[in-house]
Amino acid sequence: MTQHSTMPAIRQLGDPVLRQQATAVSSPFTAETQHLISQMLHWVIDANGVGLAAPQIGLSQQILIIASRPNARYPHAPLRKPFAVINPQLIAQSDTQQQGWEGCLSVPGVRGLVPRADWVEVRYLDEDAQAHQVRFEGFIARIFQHEYDHLIGLSYLDRVKSTQDIISETYYFQQLKQGLL
Ligand code: NI
């Protein structure tokens, strides 16, 4: 198993770093950036997240991780190998949106029903600084849009249509268990 250090405290909503526009990572990446990315790839798993953005650990840089897999917090997430998305640019998105429940490590205890584009077309660098242009769909597109928001100073609570679409996480899990969500 790869060595990795303990995860730093996740910044919580209200922390100014979560409201900043993150700066682009210079390419080629420094050894420090490479190390950070490899750490983030581990931390997101440790935290039972399906995504993590650098501002959440206090670094205002355009780095996010997508790590979709079924876990305690997201039992229905599709399984995909965790990957890093650096300096993402949103090229296009679908006109159609879908509502879905989201939570966030920076906003513990609540879930919100958030409309997101069905698909997004994104240009980014991977952990080896290779350029990609891809279309993310479904839940992966939702994770991308949630994490991308962290890079532009937004939280998912800024995206809900109504405050009535925000519920307690305890209630969310009760409903989920009964198959009602
Ligand atoms: Ni989040």
Side-chain angles (χ1 to χ4, degrees), residues 56 104 146 150:
Q56 292 183 279
C104 180
H146 176 117
H150 281 306

Side-chain angles (χ1 to χ4, degrees), residues 40 52-54 61-66 83-86 88 143-144 147-148 151:
M40 286 179 70
L52 182 68
Q61 297 180 33
Q62 293 177 17
I63 302 171
L64 63 88
I65 306 295
I66 295 177
F83 62 103
V85 173
I86 296 132
I143 297 172
F144 172 81
E147 301 307 331
Y148 181 80
L151 304 185

Side-chain angles (χ1 to χ4, degrees), residues 28-61:
F29 304 152
T30 62
E32 196 182 353
T33 297
Q34 289 284 3
H35 182 66
L36 171 66
I37 294 165
S38 73
Q39 297 281 82
M40 286 179 70
L41 284 163
H42 288 288
W43 289 334
V44 67
I45 305 294
D46 292 350
N48 268 335
V50 291
L52 182 68
Q56 292 183 279
I57 50 168
L59 299 166
S60 192
Q61 297 180 33

Side-chain angles (χ1 to χ4, degrees), residues 58-97:
L59 299 166
S60 192
Q61 297 180 33
Q62 293 177 17
I63 302 171
L64 63 88
I65 306 295
I66 295 177
S68 178
R69 77 222 168 284
N71 66 16
R73 295 183 70 248
Y74 296 92
H76 303 305
L79 182 63
R80 188 164 163 179
K81 189 172 181 277
F83 62 103
V85 173
I86 296 132
N87 297 346
Q89 290 174 270
L90 193 53
I91 305 298
Q93 59 186 326
S94 62
D95 294 331
T96 52
Q97 292 187 324

